[in-house]
Amino acid sequence: MIKEFKEFISRGNVLDLAVGVIIGSAFTSIVKALVNYLINPLIGLCVGGIDFSDWSFKVFDATFKIGSFINSVINFLIIAFVVFLIVKFVNKLMPKKEEEEEVIPDNTELYLKEIRDALVNKSDSSTFNNEEPNK
């Protein structure tokens, strides 16, 4: 079992995923700081300093903090847009790798090519031998 676990961990995909998660969590804190300390204050200036976090309503003993949910949705949309812009910017900086994929023909295509070649060879041999087709 330890050998199988070692093989599983040693795969490139698992290591790439682990690196991606670690970098993603570090990147999340940077984006949250950008949103909380730069973008949200700018939005607050534009909309007159509206703060949704205090909005709530009660049903019996339960308190529903709808304002906190609205703030979370707004923060998510802002973070998603900022990440989109960063990815778009990085994609422009990095050149795309254009790889030519070799097209592997399937069996049907191979058989059709063989039939075509056989028909071409048959018609070429009859033309060169001056044979007249059967009437």
Side-chain angles (χ1 to χ4, degrees):
M1 182 181 285
I2 293 174
K3 183 180 177 184
E4 290 175 340
F5 181 70
K6 183 179 176 183
E7 288 175 7
F8 173 75
I9 291 296
S10 298
R11 288 188 201 166
N13 293 343
V14 174
L15 294 175
D16 292 343
L17 179 63
V19 169
V21 168
I22 292 167
I23 290 175
S25 64
F27 183 71
T28 300
S29 66
I30 293 171
V31 173
K32 280 184 180 179
L34 174 71
V35 168
N36 290 336
Y37 303 126
L38 298 176
I39 295 175
N40 279 347
L42 288 174
I43 291 175
L45 288 174
C46 294
V47 295
I50 297 175
D51 185 16
F52 297 109
S53 61
D54 294 334
W55 290 9
S56 64
F57 65 92
K58 280 189 159 196
V59 177
F60 300 109
D61 291 334
T63 302
F64 296 92
K65 296 184 178 184
I66 191 79
S68 295
F69 176 73
I70 292 172
N71 275 343
S72 295
V73 170
I74 291 171
N75 284 341
F76 169 77
L77 293 174
I78 293 169
I79 289 171
F81 184 70
V82 169
V83 169
F84 168 75
L85 292 177
I86 291 171
V87 168
K88 191 171 180 174
F89 177 73
V90 169
N91 284 341
K92 283 187 178 183
L93 290 179
M94 301 293 213
K96 290 184 181 179
K97 295 180 183 178
E98 294 184 21
E99 298 178 14
E100 294 182 19
E101 294 183 21
E102 184 178 327
V103 178
I104 301 172
D106 62 344
N107 288 339
T108 305
E109 192 173 334
L110 292 174
Y111 295 141
L112 288 173
K113 285 182 181 180
E114 288 178 10
I115 293 170
R116 180 199 63 201
D117 293 343
L119 290 172
V120 167
N121 289 338
K122 183 178 178 183
S123 68
D124 286 345
S125 65
S126 67
T127 315
F128 288 119
N129 294 333
N130 291 329
E131 295 177 3
E132 291 185 22
N134 294 338
K135 295 182 182 179

